[in-house]
């Protein structure tokens, strides 16, 4: 498998780690869209949101819990932040390994675009 994020999990590529546990890896985005932009991924390879199975539900919940935890630790939870998950080409997914974008440190507008 030639998955960029799996290579980061395996440390074939060294990410700029913001958080890690046995199931989740969070690292700073190389092309940030906000003062803080962190990608949160499951260490298990799941290609898209469409591929999440019932047995993955707790793992996907850990991504959200990690986002909230990091937002608190980084000091922007109270002001607010954006969490985004893209799915497939029309949804803007560019790496086919489920991931959550945590962005904070500025005001966001809606619609997202």
């Amino acid at each position: 498998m030639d998955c960029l994020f799996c290579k980061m999990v395996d440390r074939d590529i060294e990410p700029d780690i913001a958080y890690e546990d046995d199931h989740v890896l969070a690292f700073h985005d190389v092309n940030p869209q906000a003062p803080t932009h962190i990608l949160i991924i499951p260490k298990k390879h799941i290609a898209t949101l469409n591929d999440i199975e019932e047995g993955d539900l707790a793992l996907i919940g850990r991504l959200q819990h990690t986002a909230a935890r990091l937002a608190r630790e980084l000091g922007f939870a109270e002001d607010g932040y954006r969490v985004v998950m893209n799915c497939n080409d029309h949804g803007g997914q560019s790496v086919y390994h489920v991931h959550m974008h945590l962005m904070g440190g500025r005001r966001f507008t809606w619609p997202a675009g």
Side-chain angles (χ1 to χ4, degrees):
M1 184 173 356
D2 193 33
C3 173
L4 175 66
F5 291 168
C6 286
K7 288 178 181 179
M8 291 180 179
V9 169
D10 293 339
R11 297 304 196 275
D12 295 332
I13 298 172
E14 271 304 319
D16 181 7
I17 297 173
Y19 172 82
E20 183 174 20
D21 65 26
D22 291 341
H23 307 284
V24 173
L25 177 64
F27 51 91
H28 296 272
D29 195 300
V30 297
N31 185 28
Q33 301 300 305
T36 300
H37 187 166
I38 295 172
L39 300 180
I40 305 166
I41 68 168
K43 288 185 173 181
K44 174 184 177 184
H45 181 83
I46 304 170
T48 75
L49 293 173
N50 296 333
D51 299 307
I52 295 169
E53 297 177 354
E54 192 163 336
D56 300 321
L57 297 180
L59 177 58
I60 299 305
R62 286 184 78 91
L63 301 182
Q64 182 62 52
H65 184 263
T66 300
R69 175 183 174 169
L70 286 168
R72 282 190 303 275
E73 289 176 2
L74 295 169
F76 53 79
E78 292 302 316
D79 286 339
Y81 54 96
R82 181 164 287 171
V83 175
V84 176
M85 293 179 82
N86 301 319
C87 186
N88 285 329
D89 185 50
H90 284 200
Q93 186 174 8
S94 59
V95 177
Y96 283 80
H97 183 122
V98 166
H99 57 285
M100 176 178 287
H101 296 257
L102 167 63
M103 295 172 282
R106 71 170 173 89
R107 180 176 296 277
F108 294 92
T109 59
W110 195 259

